[in-house]
Each structure stands twice: as structure tokens, then as C-alpha cells.
Amino acid sequence: MEDHLLGWLRTLDEDRLGRILANRPDAIAAPWPRRLDTLAQRLGNGFAVMETLRRLPLPCLQLAEAALAMTRPTPGSLARFLNRGSEDVTPWLAHLYDHALAWPGDDDVIHFAEGVTRYWSAPLSLGEPLEHYLNSWSISNDALHALARSLGLPAQGNKRRTIARVIETLSDAERLRTLIAGAPTGTVPLLDRFAWDGPALDVDGGTFVTPGTPEKWCADHGLLFRPSWHVAEIPREVAIRLRGPGYHPPYRPEAPEIATIPVDPEEVDHLMTLAAPHVVERCAALLDNTSKTPLPLLKTGGVGVREVRRVAKETGCDEDETRLLLEICAVARLLAWDEPSGGMIPTERFDRWRLDEGSARLRVLLAAWWRMERSSLRKIDGKYGTVLGDDPIGGTLAEIRRAVLSVLAGLPAGTAFADRESLIEGVHWHAPLLDVRLLRSCAPAVLDEARLLGLLANNALTDLGRALAGLTARPGDENDDAVPMVEHDPMLAEAATRALASVRRSALFGPDLTAVVTGPPSAELAALLDRTAERESRGAASVWRFTTESVRRALDQGYEADTLLDELAAVGTIPQPLEYLVRDTARRHGEVTVTTVGCVIQATDTALLAEIAAHRRLGRLGLRLLAPTVLVSRAPADRTLSALREVGYSPVPVSDTGEITIHRARPEEPAGGKLILLPGGQVAELSDFPGITETPPYMLAEPAPDPYEHARRLLAAGRPEDDRNGRTWAIIGRMATRLPTAQQSLLGFVVDRGVRAGITLADGLTATISHGELKGGALDAWCEEAGDYLEFPLAEIVEVRGAY
């Protein structure tokens, strides 16, 4: 198959090859191929073919299945088989060609990628062609001649000619009808059952050896074959002829019409500008809540209903909204399990996220939802699943989510879907490999989630939803951290900025100790008011009320009266009653104090404790004498013990129960740095990137090349294989003189076969390379550490080893 595909690729022009590369981003993913033979291998990869099939609409799959059921299909014969005109078949066949899943060969015969042929083991419920059975090792020449005589054909001649006569006879509808007319009673129902319900059915093996039975007659005349004693199969040609001249495979080239109703675009846009800021604000409030009270998990995994309701009540979120945002924050790595605290708490990414501008924060959340492999609002047997629990259908949910939004994005502007059933039918036409039952059960939850996130309003997709549905970058799964291409998509960034353009950054303070925000508040304004007042309502206008308890809560967080009043004055004019409330509460704040001490020092000798308290070298411990025999230190016990021993005392640690304890300190492991290779061959330490504790897989990767530019380079670089054979080995043998012969051979395979290997240069630098080409005295190869193609002098390579 690869050879056929490579031959076809060499005949294409830049535009056609560019379309293929644009439709198959997997083919030019890093390391992007630089030769057509490497490209053919990528395009024929079985996993990539299946992923591409999932993105194709129903007519493409119906065309492929029908063609696979034919012998040497051509566009013309395929159209006749489907009982359609060529204008109905050609556009969708070209769609298959543009995805390199099929291509025309000699005499216009359609060839398919191996992954496509493997998907349909029995296309149209038809078995193998007659040639497969007649050429089987289990069919002897005597049996073949006996079959020919049963069909009234001459038995002389070689095997190939006999097989051709049998196939010609059984493929002719009129001759087959005449043959069956003389069959025993019961033969027609038997063959009809195999033709429509086959191709393989369980049978009673004894009937195939009993004279006079329909089963034995069919076996003797080549209409049924038995691969095993209790299983029989009907050949493809026989089944098609038995289905009759009126049989044509199902083919639906036109998409089903989705019922729509007109909507006001301005109202849809307004609802988006209300929902989007609310999502960012509520996520910040939810994460702040978990930083104060870690979110425990059930023993079986996930967050319990009681905890979900508690968080919803404390943050003022709806319960459904809380479920969704908890899931999104976990996928976005803003919320994670923390062993010491025994619950889910915000991560360091949350600290960076809350400092980003609003648009960036919103995109992080939307990107997480786009790749989330669970549905927070899907009900099973009338009940929600466990929040953050495992979902048995996993990645299928993400595929359904993307398929639903993609279909909604195709509706005319100013319209909304009017009927959910017609919407589901349209989604299934565009994504036919999705299970219909799962699609029906998941689609309502997907729509509800999209409404909460501001992607859907009045059953119409918002600009934010259209930008998300139109993403060209592969979103990855929920365990994939390489998502900046999604988060930084220009269209999504523009839509997110517009969705947050109407946020309010000021409030109206009333003399009744209320603060009113007429519109969606910014996350910063909402956080300030949530810290200092109690929220009473939300919606088109949000209301907060200041109370003694809310002001005291703000003072407990470290505010001083003047600082608090200054921050409130920055977002609105403060009335006199509010200023009186803040200052009066601040005046009473601290009437009772509670002190935290690091440890307690006790001794029966009061003079010794007084001496320790007055020791100048122990001043850093902040020692205070509470009683003649009790001394407190603000430093923890281990530091206090060490300081006392340094100045000559002999203290011992005591546990909470009063027992003397000895702690053995573990030696600290040395911190090891990590070197990374940057594009251009430069080496840097990971610490050169502040704030990064792990190497994101996308940080050093170059973006994929432009499909049409890369098509031009591929066609320009194409040359016959003979030009490379022998030349590679000669150059490597002459230039890579530091390598033994076996390692020179391995380096040759890096060039001719694109294999993966590790190399070491004379200066000690190591790299993992593949897809090499020789340029003068250098090896130009893909370097995994650099995420780009680099040149390595052959004379400087001192070692080559296999990389698996």
C-alpha cells in the first residue's frame, strides 16, 4: 500500500499535496518529514488513519465501505453500484483523496490505505471475494475441477483459468439464477439468510456432508464455503447477486437539515459577556475556598456530593456550576491533590493564573474543558456521576463535545437549533463513528456545560463558542500538558477579549452599606468585595452588603482600616456610614490577642532560665519568660535546640506526651540540574527558565511548517531512491572516521530509513536524532532535545547507539 501511495504522491502538484498536509497535521508533526517516502509512511500509519476517519462525515465512510466491497472499483463503477450520478460521488471521493485515505491508481482503480481496509473486515456485511476461497490452500486441484464440473464448466486447463471460469459464472446474475432454479428445496431461504445476515453464520456441519441437503448442494456449487466445521461463509460476489439488481448500498451525500429558529445576535452576544466573566470570577472564588479548606476525596475516588454542596454554598455557586468548574480546574492543573493537607488544593499554576489578564485566564479554562474526558452534568440512570471520578467512556466524551460544537458552528448566523433530535442527527452525519446511544445521552450535558461557560446562549453558538469550535490545533487529551497552541489561538484570544470587554471595574456604594455592580464584575473587583462584604445577589446586577463580621474578616486577613478604605475608594465613592463601620470595627479589632509560639522551654532551675532568656547570642530566637520555670521561643523546636547547643547548653527534645525523643535527621539529596539543548545547538540549564519546575513538552518545540510551503519543499527534494543507495555509506565511511563500522551502518540507517539513534560528539554533547540527511560533511537530522533539525559534523561524532 505504501508503494502505491508513494507513487501517487510523486504525481501530485504543490496545491494538491498542500491540501493533504493541511488535512493531515499528523503527517507534518515534529519531526516533520523531508522526503516523500517518509511522508508516505506517516500517511499510512494505522493509528493516524483511524484518527482521520473519525473526523470524516458519513458520505466518505459510505463511499469507502461500498468501494471495499467491490473488485477493482473505479469512480464510474462505484457511482453505478450506489445508483448515483458521478456528481454525487466525485466531491466526496476527492475528500478521501485529500486526506490520503484513498487514491487513484492505474486505470482509475481506487486504492485505500491499509488502516481503512482493516476497519471494515466485512464491508456491507459481505464476505471475502471468490478468489480468496478458490485460491485457498484448503482447496485441492481435484476439488476445484469437481466444482467446475458441478457448474457445467470444462474442467481441463490450469488452475488459474479454472478459477477465472468459476468466478465469471457465479458473478453473472442470470447464470446464478438459472443454477439455483435446479437446487433442492430449502436452498433459496438458506442462501437469502447468508446474503442478508452473513457473511459468516453458525451451521450444523453434518448437513454439509449429507447428500441431498441444501447445504451440501451449495457447498458443491461454490455458493458456500466452510472455514471450520460449524461455520460457513458466503462469497462476496454471490451475496451481491442474491441481493438482487435493486440492491444499492446506503449513501447519503447531503447533510440532514437541522431545524432552526431566528435569534437576536445582540442578545446572544450580551449573554456571552455576562457568562464569561462569571466563569473566571467563580473559578477564582472556588479555588480560594479550597486554599482555606482542602477538598477531601472519597475512598472510592472523586468528590462527594456533600462536599460539592458545601463548596457551592460557601462560594455562592450553583451546584451544577460547582461540579463543572471543579472538573475544569483539575484538568487545567489549577487544583490538585496534596498529601500533607489530605485534600485538593490550588497549585502553583493557580498563583500564575490569577496574575494573568482576564482573557488569558478564560482561555485556560476553555482549553481545559475542550479536552476534558468526562462530563460533569451527564446523568446515568437519573443520577450525576462522581465529581473528579473516573468516567468509563473517557475520550469519547471529548469527541462528542467537539462534534456537537462543530455542527453548531455550521448553522447560519442569527439562527439557533430548534430541535435537539435533529441536532443529534446532524452531529451523527458529521461524525458517524460516534456511538449514537452515547451521543444521545451525552449531548444534553454538553449543551448545558456550553451554556454555563458562555459558549451557547439561546441555543445559538456565541463568538466564543465559534472560536473554540474552529480551533485548528490538536487539543490533546486531559493528561496532555502541551496545550499552549490551543490557549494562544488568535481567534480564541480575540473572542475571549471581546467576551470580557463589558466587565465592570467599579461599584456603586450606598449609604445602606451596600455595593452594587451593574453588570458582570471583574474577577479582581469581585474578589475585593467578596473579601470585605457578603454577596446578596448576582445576575445582571450583583449586590454586596457590608457588615461588622465581613469587615472583621477582612481585618483578620491583614488589612488595616486605611488600606481597606483606600482599596474600596479606588473602585467607587465611599459613603460616610461605610467609613464609620470600617473604622469602628478596626478600633475594636485586637481587644483579645492569641499568640503562636514555636516551642516551650522548661526547667526547674529558675536562674538557668533567666540566664538563657538574657543570653545575647540567643536573641534571634525571640525568647520570652512567661513564668519563672517556663520560657517560650518563636522559633520551632529543632532550631531552638540547635541554637541552645551552639552556646553550650544541653537541651533534649520532649514530645507532646512529655517523653524525651531523639530524631535522626535524613541526609539531604543533592539537587541535580538538568541540561537541555536549544535550537541552534546551544546548551542551557533548566534553571535558566524562571518559574519552570518541569520541562513542558512544548517549550522547545518549533511550530509545524506551513502545509503548502512544506509541500513545495517535499516536491523539490524528491529524487529517485537509486541516487541515495550506496552514496550514504560512502560518505559516512569517508567522513565519520571516529566510528567503528557497525556504528557507521547504524548512522546510515538514520539517513536512509529515518531510524532513531543516540549520538555523542567529541565535546561530550549527546543528542537523540532521527530523519537524517547528508549535507556535505555534516549530518542534518532531527534533534529531539532541540525540537528542530540541526547539523552535526560527521567528523565530530564519536559514538552512535540505538535509541528505543
Side-chain angles (χ1 to χ4, degrees):
M1 287 294 180
E2 255 177 38
D3 293 338
H4 289 296
L5 176 58
L6 177 59
W8 178 63
L9 291 176
R10 285 175 173 157
T11 66
L12 302 182
D13 56 24
E14 292 177 7
D15 183 63
R16 189 63 178 272
L17 184 58
R19 289 206 303 273
I20 292 174
L21 297 182
N23 290 325
R24 294 287 300 273
D26 56 283
I28 51 173
W32 40 87
R34 298 190 294 184
R35 298 200 303 259
L36 286 175
D37 56 344
T38 308
L39 176 64
Q41 293 175 2
R42 291 275 192 93
L43 292 172
N45 177 272
F47 179 78
V49 166
M50 273 306 304
E51 287 298 307
T52 306
L53 272 177
R54 293 181 185 279
R55 302 197 302 265
L56 295 186
L58 184 61
C60 291
L61 272 66
Q62 290 177 328
L63 271 182
E65 186 177 10
L68 289 172
M70 301 173 63
T71 303
R72 295 180 61 82
T74 63
S77 64
L78 181 58
R80 289 191 296 274
F81 186 36
L82 295 169
N83 196 30
R84 293 278 185 162
S86 59
E87 67 279 1
D88 292 330
V89 172
T90 302
W92 294 112
L93 195 57
H95 204 59
L96 285 170
Y97 293 168
D98 286 345
H99 286 78
L101 299 180
W103 55 91
D106 298 335
D107 300 327
D108 242 9
V109 173
I110 304 169
H111 296 274
F112 288 92
E114 188 176 347
V116 177
T117 59
R118 283 203 304 265
Y119 181 76
W120 284 284
S121 57
L124 301 178
S125 297
L126 298 171
E128 298 289 346
L130 268 166
E131 187 176 6
H132 168 80
Y133 299 103
L134 298 178
N135 273 319
S136 171
W137 63 269
S138 61
I139 302 293
S140 65
N141 284 335
D142 290 341
L144 192 59
H145 291 154
L147 172 60
R149 286 193 293 270
S150 298
L151 296 174
L153 302 174
Q156 66 272 19
N158 59 32
K159 182 177 181 180
R160 181 177 298 178
R161 185 173 300 174
T162 303
I163 289 175
R165 289 169 181 162
V166 172
I167 293 176
E168 181 182 1
T169 299
L170 295 181
S171 300
D172 186 280
E174 188 61 36
R175 295 168 74 174
L176 183 61
R177 193 179 304 111
T178 302
L179 178 67
I180 295 176
T185 304
T187 301
V188 173
L190 174 68
L191 290 175
D192 280 346
R193 188 163 64 90
F194 271 90
W196 293 100
D197 301 332
L201 295 175
D202 294 334
V203 295
D204 179 4
T207 58
F208 277 78
V209 295
T210 304
T213 62
E215 288 84 356
K216 180 169 175 37
W217 186 90
C218 290
D220 290 343
H221 290 80
L223 304 181
L224 294 178
F225 292 84
R226 279 191 308 154
S228 62
W229 181 257
H230 288 297
V231 175
E233 297 178 359
I234 186 170
R236 181 178 301 175
E237 295 88 343
V238 175
I240 290 178
R241 297 301 175 266
L242 289 173
R243 290 182 182 183
Y247 168 73
H248 301 286
Y251 184 56
R252 190 177 186 181
E254 301 87 11
E257 185 177 354
I258 299 175
T260 59
I261 56 174
V263 292
D264 183 2
E266 292 186 1
E267 185 179 355
V268 171
D269 191 63
H270 175 66
L271 293 174
M272 174 188 72
T273 60
L274 291 178
H278 180 76
V279 170
V280 178
E281 174 210 332
R282 289 299 88 197
C283 269
L286 184 148
L287 291 165
D288 280 334
N289 181 273
T290 56
S291 67
K292 299 170 187 173
T293 308
L295 197 62
L297 299 181
L298 300 172
K299 290 182 180 180
T300 55
V303 180
V305 176
R306 183 177 299 177
E307 284 299 319
V308 172
R309 289 173 178 168
R310 176 190 64 79
V311 173
K313 182 178 179 181
E314 293 179 2
T315 58
C317 286
D318 178 78
E319 188 175 329
D320 285 355
E321 190 177 31
T322 303
R323 299 175 63 87
L324 174 61
L325 296 184
L326 280 175
E327 300 268 15
I328 289 176
C329 288
V331 176
R333 307 295 192 271
L334 303 177
L335 187 67
W337 171 260
D338 180 63
E339 190 69 37
S341 62
M344 303 282 287
I345 64 172
T347 64
E348 291 182 0
R349 291 190 182 189
F350 170 62
D351 297 329
R352 296 194 294 270
W353 176 81
R354 72 188 312 169
L355 296 177
D356 276 340
E357 49 96 15
S359 172
R361 280 179 277 176
L362 178 61
R363 296 198 307 272
V364 168
L365 302 176
L366 295 181
W369 179 76
W370 196 234
R371 59 197 177 102
M372 191 167 73
E373 295 181 352
R374 55 175 65 86
S375 177
S376 314
L377 305 182
R378 184 168 74 101
K379 289 186 176 181
I380 303 174
D381 297 329
K383 296 181 179 179
Y384 286 131
T386 305
V387 176
L388 297 178
D390 292 332
D391 197 305
I393 63 175
T396 305
L397 274 167
E399 294 176 11
I400 291 174
R401 181 180 298 121
R402 296 163 197 166
V404 169
L405 258 68
S406 177
V407 171
L408 288 173
L411 296 180
T415 62
F417 74 90
D419 176 36
R420 184 180 293 174
E421 192 60 35
S422 69
L423 173 64
I424 291 174
E425 187 180 353
V427 172
H428 187 250
W429 187 89
H430 285 88
L433 293 186
L434 290 176
D435 185 89
V436 179
R437 181 182 57 83
L438 285 178
L439 179 60
R440 293 185 188 280
S441 68
C442 296
V446 168
L447 296 173
D448 290 341
E449 291 172 7
R451 289 188 187 95
L452 288 175
L453 295 174
L455 307 173
L456 192 69
N458 289 345
N459 287 344
L461 214 58
T462 65
D463 289 344
L464 201 57
R466 290 182 184 278
L468 195 63
L471 286 176
T472 54
R474 180 181 177 274
D477 57 38
E478 69 173 35
N479 297 314
D480 184 7
D481 286 333
V483 293
M485 294 297 290
V486 172
E487 295 174 8
H488 297 165
D489 182 82
M491 297 296 292
L492 183 60
E494 181 184 348
T497 302
R498 192 165 58 253
L500 297 177
S502 63
V503 296
R504 300 290 185 264
R505 305 184 186 279
S506 61
L508 300 174
F509 296 102
D512 58 349
L513 300 180
T514 60
V516 180
V517 179
T518 56
S522 68
E524 294 77 12
L525 175 60
L528 172 62
L529 295 176
D530 282 338
R531 286 194 300 267
T532 56
E534 306 290 349
R535 191 187 292 236
E536 291 189 340
S537 68
R538 64 181 72 248
S542 301
V543 179
W544 284 261
R545 183 172 297 278
F546 292 89
T547 64
T548 302
E549 290 76 15
S550 68
V551 174
R552 186 182 64 236
R553 185 176 65 234
L555 297 174
D556 288 341
Q557 294 175 358
Y559 275 108
E560 294 182 357
D562 290 338
T563 305
L564 178 56
L565 289 171
D566 288 343
E567 289 194 13
L568 293 174
V571 297
T573 304
I574 300 178
Q576 197 173 54
L578 177 56
E579 183 176 357
Y580 284 164
L581 174 65
V582 172
R583 295 199 181 278
D584 184 58
T585 306
R587 209 166 23 250
R588 299 177 54 195
H589 193 254
E591 290 177 336
V592 178
T593 62
V594 177
T595 303
T596 299
V597 297
C599 63
V600 177
I601 305 168
Q602 292 178 291
T604 56
D605 188 343
T606 57
L608 177 61
L609 278 188
E611 176 187 325
I612 292 174
H615 203 296
R616 285 188 298 174
R617 290 178 60 188
L618 297 177
R620 66 182 184 276
L621 297 179
L623 300 175
R624 287 184 295 150
L625 200 62
L626 298 185
T629 58
V630 180
L631 195 65
V632 295
S633 168
R634 70 185 176 201
D638 54 348
R639 285 180 50 198
T640 303
L641 280 168
S642 177
L644 289 172
R645 288 166 179 164
E646 283 179 6
V647 296
Y649 298 104
S650 301
V652 293
V654 178
S655 68
D656 295 340
T657 61
E659 297 178 356
I660 295 176
T661 59
I662 301 294
H663 293 283
R664 300 185 183 274
R666 284 186 174 182
E668 292 186 2
E669 296 183 0
K674 183 178 179 183
L675 294 179
I676 53 176
L677 185 64
L678 299 176
Q682 297 179 337
V683 179
E685 288 195 18
L686 196 60
S687 57
D688 294 343
F689 298 89
I692 301 296
T693 57
E694 56 185 16
T695 311
Y698 53 80
M699 190 172 72
L700 302 176
E702 294 287 326
D706 176 80
Y708 293 91
E709 288 290 333
H710 199 64
R712 187 176 299 114
R713 286 196 293 267
L714 282 169
L715 294 176
R719 61 179 186 272
E721 288 290 321
D722 294 339
D723 290 352
R724 288 201 306 270
N725 288 343
R727 178 175 175 270
T728 298
W729 312 100
I731 294 177
I732 291 176
R734 188 174 68 251
M735 304 294 295
T737 55
R738 300 193 184 199
L739 298 176
T741 304
Q743 294 186 19
Q744 288 180 348
S745 298
L746 179 55
L747 200 60
F749 283 117
V750 173
V751 176
D752 283 351
R753 303 288 178 84
V755 301
R756 188 167 172 263
I759 62 171
T760 302
L761 302 182
D763 58 2
L765 181 67
T766 62
T768 306
I769 62 170
S770 60
H771 302 84
E773 285 188 354
L774 295 176
K775 289 188 176 180
L779 173 66
D780 186 11
W782 178 265
C783 177
E784 293 184 7
E785 289 80 1
D788 200 357
Y789 283 98
L790 301 179
E791 291 189 9
F792 302 92
L794 288 171
E796 295 297 315
I797 301 176
V798 297
E799 182 188 9
V800 181
R801 57 199 173 277
Y804 307 103

